[in-house]
Amino acid sequence: MRSVFIKTYGCQMNERDSEAVAAQLVAKGYTLAPSEAAADVILLNTCSVRDFAEQKAIGKMQNIAADVRKNRPDVVLGFMGCMAQSRGQELIDRLPDVDLVLGTQKFHHAADYLDEILAGHRDKIVDVAAEQGSEATIREHLLNGNAQKSVTAFVSIMQGCNQYCTFCIVPYTRGEERSRSIADIVAECRQLVSQGVKEITLLGQIVTSYGKRGFGRAELPLGQDAQQRVPTTKKTSFVQLLDAVHEIDGLERIRFTAPHPKGYGDDLIEAYARLPKLVESAHLPVQSGSDRVLKLMHRGYTRDRFLGIVKKLRRAKPDIGITTDIIVGFPGEIEDDFEQTLSLAREVQFDNAYIFKYSQRRDTPAAGMPDQVPLKIREDRNHRLLETVNEIGKRKYHAFVGRRTQILVEGPSKKNPARMTGRTRCNKIVVFEGAERHRGQLMDVKITRAGSFTLYGDPAIVNL
Ligand code: SF4
């Protein structure tokens, strides 16, 4: 029996793609190797969002290749995902020990291609072509690989992005927006719930654009006239999808990522108030607090529009947890622009923010823009913003101490498997002294302590 090891870099979409490829290979008789040292096939699922992520994956493959080619020459090595898509054949030219390069619309061919290579029918395979209907192929789940019951699951609802933010490589690595049908997604969610899943996160590069460019299959979203393709409801396709998933009996919670702020129309905000399973959590990637920089980034909203969305969300759900992504040192960003980002962070009071120093990505418009910001300034702004965000986050987390809150228990803590972790509706991790039998339960805990972006619950309060 052959074994495979998949190492994943980057975002939750990549995690989900790796899971689907692993499930596909398990179905074909592979076992999952605990490490690369024990694997017959080693795949790196790569990220291209920052240059650092690409260099890390290339460095990792160089080390693996040096080792396996000396001691285990038959091991198959492959790149898949965003860097595989953007660099294609170049990766084999640079690293001739690599056997397979699999693009982002080709994950479902992984097992067949590996069979061909392992059987000696083909030497090297590079497949990064676009493929119609590939958005509906990320559907297999491992659910923790069998031993333990998964409480949460990610469901891919769309692929690609048409926003073309000037700093972002995703539209080039993931292609045009392509959405699965509501019926297809609901069927997958129902299946997961029947296997014990309680919380589903709907995934895509820009989920709020779900269905805007049609659907990959014949079915239309609910509420559309099949003959005329005319919407019979003012709700966006994404909100129609939320409505449909919400109907699933046994499902307790719905999340989604990654949205775009301009997708937070009134129908989506109203959905937060209307759908009890849609948890009080919103990731709103603002990227900058300066209108001038937002325009250069081609984000499609202004600072005021963004603040208006936050206001409406908090009016609909006062306890909503709001997180964001921010890029510092975008080309042309001057100190005044950065100060506006700082002031926006203070005004919104984000629960957490993921801060990135701008990274030049080849073939993106921003890479060729004048006034690239020197690394030293990017680092300084990164540091200052991080201090502000951490200080706000600390206050927000400490405000939970003494409160009772509902968590969904996900399983043992990664840091200390003797303890259990759960997640609040507003997406905060809570660690507590629970037991395995609490996995999958919705329970109230009293928060006794707040650490760095983690809460701790009092075991005495937990209904043991
Ligand atoms: S919306 Fe997101 S994925 Fe799409 S181009 Fe902009 S940053 Fe990239």
Side-chain angles (χ1 to χ4, degrees), residues 416-451:
N416 178 359
R419 295 193 287 184
M420 299 295 279
T421 61
R423 204 175 284 267
T424 65
R425 286 176 62 91
C426 60
N427 210 17
K428 295 185 171 50
I429 299 281
V430 179
V431 177
F432 68 104
E433 305 277 343
E436 180 57 36
R437 69 177 182 284
H438 293 124
R439 188 197 289 262
Q441 283 187 23
L442 285 170
M443 53 166 53
D444 281 352
V445 291
K446 186 173 177 184
I447 304 301
T448 54
R449 190 160 66 84

Side-chain angles (χ1 to χ4, degrees), residues 179-195:
S179 301
R180 299 172 65 188
S181 72
I182 289 184
D184 213 17
I185 296 164
V186 169
E188 183 177 332
C189 294
R190 272 193 208 288
Q191 173 71 21
L192 288 165
V193 172
S194 74
Q195 293 171 280

Side-chain angles (χ1 to χ4, degrees), residues 161-165 167-171 205-206 260 287 299:
C161 180
N162 284 45
Q163 177 62 29
Y164 290 94
C165 298
F167 54 82
C168 185
I169 200 167
V170 166
Q205 273 79 34
I206 179 164
H260 189 286
Q287 307 300 5
R299 288 295 289 172

Side-chain angles (χ1 to χ4, degrees), residues 69 131 146 174 196 233 235 265 279 283 334 369 374 415:
R69 288 298 175 245
E131 185 174 321
N146 53 41
R174 292 281 175 166
T233 163
K235 287 178 196 165
V279 292
H283 184 67
I334 57 172
M369 283 182 182
K415 282 193 189 151

Side-chain angles (χ1 to χ4, degrees), residues 105-106 108-109 129-137 178 215-217:
Q105 300 189 33
K106 298 292 180 176
H108 54 297
H109 294 298
E131 185 174 321
Q132 228 186 353
S134 64
E135 66 280 0
T137 60
R178 297 149 352 251
F215 295 82
R217 296 186 158 207

Side-chain angles (χ1 to χ4, degrees), residues 13 16-17 134-139 154-160 177-182 184-186 188-189 200-211 214-216 237-239 241-242 245 254-259:
M13 271 67 81
R16 177 71 197 100
D17 296 337
S134 64
E135 66 280 0
T137 60
I138 305 297
R139 57 205 313 168
F154 291 95
V155 171
S156 173
I157 64 167
M158 66 173 309
Q159 300 256 303
E177 290 165 16
R178 297 149 352 251
S179 301
R180 299 172 65 188
S181 72
I182 289 184
D184 213 17
I185 296 164
V186 169
E188 183 177 332
C189 294
I200 281 174
T201 303
L202 304 174
L203 268 188
Q205 273 79 34
I206 179 164
V207 288
T208 40
S209 291
Y210 169 80
F215 295 82
S237 300
F238 182 58
V239 172
L241 173 66
L242 290 174
V245 174
I254 305 169
R255 302 184 187 276
F256 56 82
T257 198

Side-chain angles (χ1 to χ4, degrees), residues 133-407:
S134 64
E135 66 280 0
T137 60
I138 305 297
R139 57 205 313 168
E140 281 80 23
H141 292 262
L142 273 178
L143 294 187
N144 267 357
N146 53 41
Q148 291 160 334
K149 235 174 75 177
S150 273
V151 173
T152 59
F154 291 95
V155 171
S156 173
I157 64 167
M158 66 173 309
Q159 300 256 303
C161 180
N162 284 45
Q163 177 62 29
Y164 290 94
C165 298
T166 53
F167 54 82
C168 185
I169 200 167
V170 166
Y172 312 98
T173 58
R174 292 281 175 166
E176 299 273 297
E177 290 165 16
R178 297 149 352 251
S179 301
R180 299 172 65 188
S181 72
I182 289 184
D184 213 17
I185 296 164
V186 169
E188 183 177 332
C189 294
R190 272 193 208 288
Q191 173 71 21
L192 288 165
V193 172
S194 74
Q195 293 171 280
V197 166
K198 300 276 170 58
E199 176 183 300
I200 281 174
T201 303
L202 304 174
L203 268 188
Q205 273 79 34
I206 179 164
V207 288
T208 40
S209 291
Y210 169 80
K212 276 196 178 155
R213 285 167 177 82
F215 295 82
R217 296 186 158 207
E219 299 115 301
L220 290 163
L222 303 179
Q224 283 198 348
D225 183 306
Q227 300 302 313
Q228 299 169 18
R229 284 186 169 256
V230 173
T232 55
T233 163
K234 284 194 179 138
K235 287 178 196 165
T236 56
S237 300
F238 182 58
V239 172
Q240 293 176 55
L241 173 66
L242 290 174
D243 283 348
V245 174
H246 194 271
E247 292 292 299
I248 298 174
D249 285 338
L251 178 65
E252 302 282 359
R253 292 177 169 187
I254 305 169
R255 302 184 187 276
F256 56 82
T257 198
H260 189 286
K262 70 178 195 179
Y264 279 80
D266 288 347
D267 64 333
L268 180 53
I269 291 166
E270 185 258 350
Y272 274 97
R274 184 169 55 81
L275 303 175
K277 294 179 187 175
L278 182 57
V279 292
E280 294 83 13
S281 172
H283 184 67
L284 285 169
V286 66
Q287 307 300 5
S288 172
S290 153
D291 281 344
R292 202 180 66 81
V293 174
L294 287 172
K295 201 164 176 195
L296 286 171
M297 288 177 163
H298 191 238
R299 288 295 289 172
Y301 52 85
T302 60
R303 175 191 176 100
D304 268 3
R305 164 109 171 89
F306 184 88
L307 291 173
I309 294 164
V310 171
K311 212 170 173 177
K312 283 183 185 176
L313 278 169
R314 289 207 166 120
R315 205 180 299 138
K317 286 283 173 187
D319 286 337
I320 196 163
I322 298 181
T323 55
T324 196
D325 297 330
I326 300 173
I327 293 173
V328 293
F330 184 81
E333 182 190 79
I334 57 172
E335 180 61 20
D336 180 58
D337 296 311
F338 175 67
E339 292 285 342
Q340 290 182 54
T341 299
L342 273 177
S343 84
L344 180 128
R346 290 193 196 102
E347 190 168 342
V348 174
Q349 297 278 300
F350 293 109
D351 292 70
N352 199 357
Y354 304 94
I355 303 165
F356 305 98
K357 295 185 286 270
Y358 170 72
S359 168
Q360 250 174 327
R361 306 312 298 119
R362 45 190 192 142
D363 301 331
T364 58
M369 283 182 182
D371 306 319
Q372 298 284 327
V373 178
L375 178 62
K376 207 167 163 356
I377 296 178
R378 280 183 278 150
E379 279 172 347
D380 174 62
R381 289 178 187 166
N382 183 71
H383 176 71
R384 285 157 65 199
L385 184 57
L386 205 58
E387 273 191 343
T388 303
V389 162
N390 286 347
E391 197 186 299
I392 295 166
K394 201 169 160 189
R395 265 204 312 275
K396 295 213 109 182
Y397 273 68
H398 276 273
F400 275 80
V401 176
R403 276 171 60 180
R404 247 183 125 93
T405 185
Q406 185 208 62
I407 59 167

